[in-house]
Amino acid sequence: MPRGAVEVADVFRRYGDAYRQQHGSSLSTAQRRVMTAIEQCRTAALGGHVEQCDTCGHQRIAYNSCRNRHCPKCQSLARAEWLEHRRSELLAVPYFHVVFTVPQQIAAIAHYNKGPVYDILFHAAAETLQTIAADPKHLGAELGFFAVLHTWGQTLLHHPHLHCVVAGGGLAADGSRWITCRPNFFLPVRVLARLFRRLFLASLQKAFDANKLTFCGRWEPLRDRRAFQRHLAPARKAEWWVYAKPPFAGPEQVLAYVARYTHRVAISNNRLLDIEDGRVRFRWKDYRNGGRQKIMTLAASEFIRRFLIHVLPEGFQRTRYYGFLANRYREQKLARCRQLLAMPQPEPPHDHSARDYRDEYQELTGASLTECPACQRGHMVIIEVLRPKPCRPIDDTS
């Protein structure tokens, strides 16, 4: 089967119903909605329109997308819009990429407590960066950064971690000057890791004491306080992993890199190789073996199970902003940063709300959705609107 011919949606369309029948009682409403959205994406179920070239008469049907954030086919426009807004916020300073990872004992708890544990991950990582950076022994400044949650590894297993992109410096406490970090050095990772561990475990214990955590199946014994403490004992003693990568070469390199992380889903369609005899084959990188490319084969039901692990609770914010990039004071504090760095004030991002999405997509990505694929001279014009066809409700919980 040619590369690119297989999609995650094909796996769900072929094997989704069987998976629902076998595992329906363990599926959350959010997981069911994601399955249905991906199955229906760009099909007659969501409606669409017929387009015709105004030069050669070529026609094609374009079905509507599901726009679900977990869908591998529905992220390009959202990513482009997000990047356009972030471009106006970049400063003429080095940027660092810092990764916070939790040990397996925590990942096991997060499996049934995504909202509470992922919130703790965000809060602990943000407080760690802000506390160490505010200390005059290290930097003595208010940082500006954003954090993006990823919950997967290359083989789709549960691996919660945060990617943080942090400006290499910050505002003095009184806002009077910009304080730059040392060249090619951000903050001491061992100090970050130990504070992160302490803050995370303290917050997790508070969540347990407040009965905010749920334990099911093999983890049900952790409802007992002593069992919970025993489970966390190895994590309390272990060195937690925080990694600070070298600074980016410049602002544009920051944007190019960040685009790989902000709107990524568990697996992209271009990693899938084929679906045959109830099995899915896909490429993955073995980072423990020098990033070597390998091929993994999973039963379709196991592929679906792993994919659904990474469905976030509805309304959960997977990208968050802190310090002088926090939403409340972002505009004022960024203006002060630019003033101190002798940078010009940028033009505000364009308002695309009233524009056709195809024109917006071309402006943001450079790729045309209206150019005729046949003659490559004319433009595709909508000549008929197709209504959605009746199908299983997207919020089916039967």
Side-chain angles (χ1 to χ4, degrees):
M1 187 173 292
R3 185 172 170 178
V6 182
E7 299 180 353
V8 171
D10 296 320
V11 181
F12 282 101
R13 288 168 189 151
R14 293 189 197 183
Y15 306 106
D17 283 340
Y19 190 87
R20 289 182 183 91
Q21 293 173 11
Q22 186 174 358
H23 303 283
S25 61
S26 63
L27 289 174
S28 69
T29 300
Q31 289 172 326
R32 288 179 176 273
R33 288 178 175 171
V34 167
M35 290 182 70
T36 305
I38 292 175
E39 289 166 348
Q40 295 179 352
C41 187
R42 306 191 191 194
T43 69
L46 298 183
H49 53 266
V50 180
E51 299 175 332
Q52 180 173 291
C53 176
D54 59 7
T55 299
C56 70
H58 173 74
Q59 291 189 0
R60 69 180 177 191
I61 297 176
Y63 291 119
N64 294 329
S65 61
C66 67
R67 299 190 178 185
N68 191 288
R69 61 175 170 172
H70 300 91
C71 177
K73 295 183 70 173
C74 290
Q75 302 305 306
S76 56
L77 181 56
R79 181 189 298 113
E81 290 175 335
W82 187 89
L83 284 175
E84 184 190 26
H85 283 83
R86 300 291 80 76
R87 182 173 286 109
S88 65
E89 297 167 1
L90 286 175
L91 302 174
V93 300
Y95 279 83
F96 291 83
H97 177 202
V98 185
V99 183
F100 290 85
T101 302
V102 297
Q104 188 54 43
Q105 293 88 351
I106 305 300
I109 296 173
H111 185 83
Y112 292 102
N113 298 276
K114 292 184 172 67
V117 175
Y118 295 163
D119 275 334
I120 291 172
L121 175 56
F122 272 107
H123 295 155
E127 187 175 348
T128 295
L129 286 171
Q130 292 172 308
T131 299
I132 301 301
D135 188 338
K137 292 188 299 183
H138 299 296
L139 185 63
E142 178 189 20
L143 294 176
F145 61 98
F146 64 86
V148 183
L149 173 68
H150 282 188
T151 63
W152 55 85
Q154 280 282 302
T155 60
L156 301 185
L157 293 174
H158 198 204
H159 176 55
H161 56 285
L162 278 188
H163 293 272
C164 303
V165 176
V166 193
L171 285 171
D174 60 2
S176 62
R177 61 195 178 98
W178 177 267
I179 301 174
T180 303
C181 67
R182 283 183 279 166
N184 298 321
F185 179 80
F186 178 54
L187 294 170
V189 290
R190 179 171 294 182
V191 175
L192 291 172
R194 291 181 177 177
L195 179 57
F196 173 58
R197 178 183 62 187
R198 177 168 65 82
L199 293 173
F200 190 103
L201 291 174
S203 295
L204 188 65
Q205 186 65 55
K206 288 181 181 178
F208 179 87
D209 293 339
N211 294 318
K212 293 182 178 179
L213 302 180
T214 301
F215 301 101
C216 304
R218 59 180 290 205
W219 304 110
E220 191 168 355
L222 295 187
R223 293 179 181 181
D224 178 75
R225 183 181 180 85
R226 287 177 294 182
F228 183 74
Q229 296 284 357
R230 287 195 300 271
H231 178 77
L232 291 182
R236 296 185 187 279
K237 297 177 182 178
E239 292 290 340
W240 287 30
W241 199 77
V242 175
Y243 177 58
K245 294 187 178 182
F248 297 98
E252 289 305 315
Q253 285 76 14
V254 176
L255 283 177
Y257 185 84
V258 166
R260 296 163 46 190
Y261 284 90
T262 53
H263 292 75
R264 183 181 290 181
V265 296
I267 186 170
S268 58
N269 284 329
N270 61 15
R271 286 177 55 197
L272 268 61
L273 298 176
D274 57 53
I275 311 170
E276 291 182 1
D277 301 323
R279 296 186 175 276
V280 181
R281 290 200 315 140
F282 61 92
R283 292 177 292 107
W284 67 286
K285 282 185 180 180
D286 185 355
Y287 288 110
R288 293 183 179 181
N289 193 15
R292 182 180 175 185
Q293 289 273 359
K294 296 184 177 181
I295 295 176
M296 176 167 286
T297 302
L298 295 176
S301 60
E302 175 61 11
F303 179 90
I304 292 174
R305 185 194 73 82
R306 293 191 187 189
F307 187 94
L308 294 178
I309 290 173
H310 311 293
V311 172
L312 297 175
E314 293 188 12
F316 189 90
Q317 297 295 320
R318 68 187 297 261
T319 303
R320 304 185 186 185
Y321 307 85
Y322 299 95
F324 61 74
L325 287 182
N327 294 332
R328 187 174 182 182
Y329 300 110
R330 180 185 301 171
E331 187 174 343
Q332 303 96 305
K333 291 193 175 183
L334 275 175
R336 180 57 177 160
C337 292
R338 295 189 192 98
Q339 182 182 27
L340 294 171
L341 293 167
M343 290 179 59
Q345 298 297 325
E347 294 185 7
H350 299 297
D351 180 13
H352 301 288
S353 57
R355 299 185 60 190
D356 186 290
Y357 76 93
R358 296 171 298 177
D359 296 331
E360 180 184 356
Y361 185 86
Q362 182 170 0
E363 179 179 324
L364 293 174
T365 68
S368 175
L369 298 178
T370 60
E371 181 183 275
C372 177
C375 68
Q376 298 181 340
R377 297 190 308 273
H379 292 82
M380 304 301 292
V381 179
I382 297 176
I383 61 173
E384 182 182 356
V385 174
L386 305 175
R387 293 184 177 182
K389 290 187 176 180
C391 58
R392 180 176 59 245
I394 200 168
D395 59 349
D396 175 31
T397 58
S398 59

